[in-house]
Amino acid sequence: MNSQILLTDETHASTESAVQPEKLLARTPNDGPCAASAKLIRVAVGSFRFEVRDLHLQRGRHTAIIGPNGAGKTTLIETLLGLRQVHLEEAQILGIPVAHFLQSTQHRKRLGVQLQRVEYEDSSNVREILDLHQALYGKQDPQVAQALDIDALRKLPYRALSRGQKQRLDLFVALAHHPEIAVLDEPFTGLDRAYIDRVAHLLRHDWLT
């Protein structure tokens, strides 16, 4: 595997060249717990090899993972969320060991996640998905709903949603409860220019890491 991947953030423009995944180093952590960190992440699936050392994603910043298709961007995200069985050393979310964090319902509520591959039952409708989110998190910010025009989707069956409409629903589920950390995998996919601008505005809110 000879792909390249780069971490950068909104506060400090990166001047580093893209590096090999096995040599990926993020920035030095600031005081207090990082949003996410790991001493070592090692993935080996078939011919795919991916290794990250000394990863520190700081709180209060928008961190982008940049690289070509197949470089391991989604793999890194899914690994930190416990969605892949990989070798992890000293991995933490908000200063808490990943395994403990993900086993705790209260801790999981501190996360907001939008992945590329999310599907609900074809028999589901949007109202049921929104009600489930409300029951799980107990909070839905009307500003997020308005920005993503969720009311226009509320009565629709899930199977009738377009790619862009599904993306809006997924982003609402990720952001509406004001998570301490939002993990978004290609959040602008399928959105038109107006919604891209609205999502970009939402991501600037102070409550979001």
Side-chain angles (χ1 to χ4, degrees):
M1 181 80 183
N2 192 32
S3 297
Q4 297 177 325
I5 189 170
L6 176 68
L7 264 65
T8 185
D9 64 53
E10 64 165 3
T11 306
H12 296 90
S14 175
T15 58
E16 306 167 50
S17 298
V19 296
Q20 302 303 319
E22 63 270 17
K23 298 178 182 177
L24 176 62
L25 296 177
R27 305 182 185 282
T28 303
N30 58 1
D31 294 335
C34 293
S37 63
K39 181 178 180 181
L40 174 66
I41 300 172
R42 181 180 294 134
V43 180
V45 181
S47 61
F48 183 84
R49 297 291 186 273
F50 184 88
E51 186 171 296
V52 178
R53 295 179 181 273
D54 299 321
L55 177 70
H56 300 281
L57 305 181
Q58 296 184 19
R59 297 189 67 177
R61 298 191 178 184
H62 298 140
T63 301
I65 304 172
I66 302 170
N69 291 339
K73 303 183 298 296
T74 294
T75 298
L76 177 58
I77 290 171
E78 293 179 350
T79 295
L80 290 172
L81 294 173
L83 300 177
R84 289 178 177 265
Q85 296 297 316
V86 302
H87 179 78
L88 289 174
E89 293 183 11
E90 299 181 24
Q92 298 184 342
I93 299 175
L94 292 172
I96 300 166
V98 166
H100 178 65
F101 189 98
L102 297 175
Q103 289 171 0
S104 166
T105 301
Q106 290 304 312
H107 285 321
R108 289 201 306 270
K109 289 180 179 181
R110 302 167 72 185
L111 283 176
V113 178
Q114 172 263 318
L115 299 174
Q116 290 188 50
R117 296 180 297 275
V118 176
E119 293 292 337
Y120 299 94
E121 292 290 336
D122 282 344
S123 59
S124 300
N125 59 55
V126 174
R127 185 186 299 276
E128 291 171 335
I129 296 168
L130 297 177
D131 288 347
L132 176 61
H133 178 274
Q134 176 68 45
L136 289 172
Y137 295 100
K139 178 182 180 67
Q140 289 182 338
D141 185 343
Q143 286 187 304
V144 178
Q146 183 177 8
L148 296 169
D149 201 12
I150 294 301
D151 282 345
L153 308 179
R154 192 175 294 273
K155 296 180 180 180
L156 297 177
Y158 180 76
R159 65 177 179 274
L161 299 183
S162 67
R163 179 67 185 89
Q165 289 171 329
K166 288 181 179 179
Q167 188 78 346
R168 285 157 50 198
L169 178 61
D170 291 345
L171 288 166
F172 177 83
V173 169
L175 299 175
H177 56 289
H178 287 195
E180 292 180 49
I181 303 175
V183 181
L184 310 178
D185 193 353
E186 299 193 14
F188 301 139
T189 298
L191 300 181
D192 61 28
R193 183 75 253 174
Y195 285 115
I196 289 174
D197 291 342
R198 293 181 189 184
V199 172
H201 178 73
L202 287 175
L203 296 181
R204 297 187 186 102
H205 279 259
D206 292 339
W207 45 261
L208 189 62
T209 295

